[in-house]
Amino acid sequence: MSRAFVKEDDAGTPEEKVNLPVSEHPNLVTPAGLKMLQDKARQYEEERADLKSHDSELSAQSHLPRVEQEMRYWEERLRTAIPVDLAKQPRDKVAFGAVVTVEDEDGKRHDYQIVGEDEAEPQNGKVSYVSPLARALDGSEVGDTIVWKRPAGDQELEVVAIRYEA
């Protein structure tokens, strides 16, 4: 067998495991976010076990590294999770886990929930606590006007309601 394309340093060394990047921010999670982390970790564990049981199949062998990478990511996120008890959050100020109703300059109302990074789904109104919108809202009270600094231009929003869902 030709060894023309094999570096001497690589011969006989096991393949290095590449991990997905993990945020440097504290891994705050809502109760729903903690459940999501548990579900994701379990999902990739089960997928890995299934692929291992079909180890002789080429498709399983090629898919396994990506599944193991995902599994390591979700297990690390679960290990470092900091659950936030929403019942202990202030009711009169915006804080982690709050669902905030805001009114824009056109009189349109929007709801945003401030969640952990892995829970964020901006298209569904769930914004990461490290996002510019969440940072602008943090600590505000009903009646406050905040400025959301966006790439498309600054937008003023008035806080009209704050609530916490279980």
Side-chain angles (χ1 to χ4, degrees), residues 94 113-115 127-139 148:
V94 175
Q113 183 179 18
I114 300 172
V115 297
V127 296
S128 167
Y129 79 100
V130 297
S131 70
L133 175 57
R135 288 181 179 187
L137 288 168
D138 188 44
W148 177 14

Side-chain angles (χ1 to χ4, degrees), residues 33-51:
L34 182 59
K35 183 178 180 335
M36 183 267 306
L37 292 177
Q38 292 165 336
D39 291 346
K40 286 283 195 180
R42 185 172 28 262
Q43 169 194 338
Y44 283 104
E45 247 177 59
E46 289 169 0
E47 193 172 345
R48 179 180 181 269
D50 184 52
L51 289 171

Side-chain angles (χ1 to χ4, degrees), residues 90-103 109-115 125-127 133-134 136-144 146 157-165:
R91 295 302 188 232
D92 59 339
K93 292 181 187 269
V94 175
F96 184 87
V99 177
V100 186
T101 303
V102 296
E103 189 172 295
R109 291 189 176 203
H110 308 275
D111 286 339
Y112 297 103
Q113 183 179 18
I114 300 172
V115 297
K126 292 183 176 191
V127 296
L133 175 57
L137 288 168
D138 188 44
S140 61
E141 300 176 5
V142 172
D144 287 352
I146 60 104
L157 300 172
E158 181 184 349
V159 177
V160 295
I162 303 167
R163 70 182 188 281
Y164 291 84
E165 297 175 351

Side-chain angles (χ1 to χ4, degrees), residues 5 9 23 41 64 76 80 95 113 139 164:
F5 297 103
D9 297 38
S23 172
L64 186 61
E76 176 65 11
T80 61
Q113 183 179 18
Y164 291 84

Side-chain angles (χ1 to χ4, degrees), residues 38-100:
Q38 292 165 336
D39 291 346
K40 286 283 195 180
R42 185 172 28 262
Q43 169 194 338
Y44 283 104
E45 247 177 59
E46 289 169 0
E47 193 172 345
R48 179 180 181 269
D50 184 52
L51 289 171
K52 285 281 198 178
S53 71
H54 298 94
D55 203 27
S56 61
E57 297 173 23
L58 185 58
S59 63
Q61 290 176 3
S62 64
H63 194 58
L64 186 61
R66 187 199 64 76
V67 169
E68 288 179 332
Q69 183 183 52
E70 289 282 346
M71 187 180 79
R72 287 190 304 274
Y73 175 83
W74 292 109
E75 286 176 345
E76 176 65 11
R77 296 303 280 170
L78 184 57
R79 186 187 69 74
T80 61
I82 303 168
V84 175
D85 184 351
L86 302 185
K88 294 181 179 177
Q89 295 296 73
R91 295 302 188 232
D92 59 339
K93 292 181 187 269
V94 175
F96 184 87
V99 177
V100 186

